Amino acid sequence: MNHKGTSQQQGFTIMEVVIVIALFAIILVALLSLFDWHQKIFILEQADVRATSSVRSTMNNMSKYVAQASNIENFHARLPAHLIALTTIVLW
């Protein structure tokens, strides 16, 4: 056994370990909050895309109905006036 005054200890002190864990915890919380923010933005953008798609589909349907209505109007122009009241228009 060598009992000299100098000892070479290896390893970390408890304070160094606590500081490293605290730093990692701070970094982890920052990354998780960034991920949470990104997830909320993604959900909002998805809702916006769905709404835009729905409006586009509705506008396409309305365009078709307007085109059909102009065809029906042309058809009614050729009918006698007493038969126009007896016709039923069904749009699908």
Side-chain angles (χ1 to χ4, degrees):
M1 291 187 115
N2 191 358
H3 293 294
K4 292 184 180 177
T6 60
S7 65
Q8 295 184 352
Q9 297 178 351
Q10 295 181 352
F12 300 106
T13 64
I14 190 75
M15 198 53 141
E16 291 171 333
V17 172
V18 168
I19 290 172
V20 169
I21 290 174
L23 288 174
F24 278 131
I26 290 170
I27 292 170
L28 184 63
V29 167
L31 288 175
L32 289 177
S33 67
L34 182 64
F35 176 76
D36 184 49
W37 173 76
H38 183 267
Q39 185 69 16
K40 289 176 185 177
I41 295 296
F42 179 74
I43 290 170
L44 288 174
E45 290 299 320
Q46 271 190 326
D48 189 35
V49 167
R50 281 192 300 264
T52 304
S53 176
S54 176
V55 169
R56 183 180 299 118
S57 175
T58 302
M59 290 299 290
N60 286 338
N61 288 337
M62 287 175 60
S63 297
K64 290 176 188 176
Y65 293 148
V66 168
Q68 289 176 357
S70 66
N71 291 338
I72 292 170
E73 183 65 34
N74 292 337
F75 174 75
H76 279 175
R78 292 181 270 143
L79 288 178
H82 66 281
L83 292 179
I84 291 176
L86 300 176
T87 59
T88 303
I89 300 171
V90 177
L91 300 176
W92 62 88

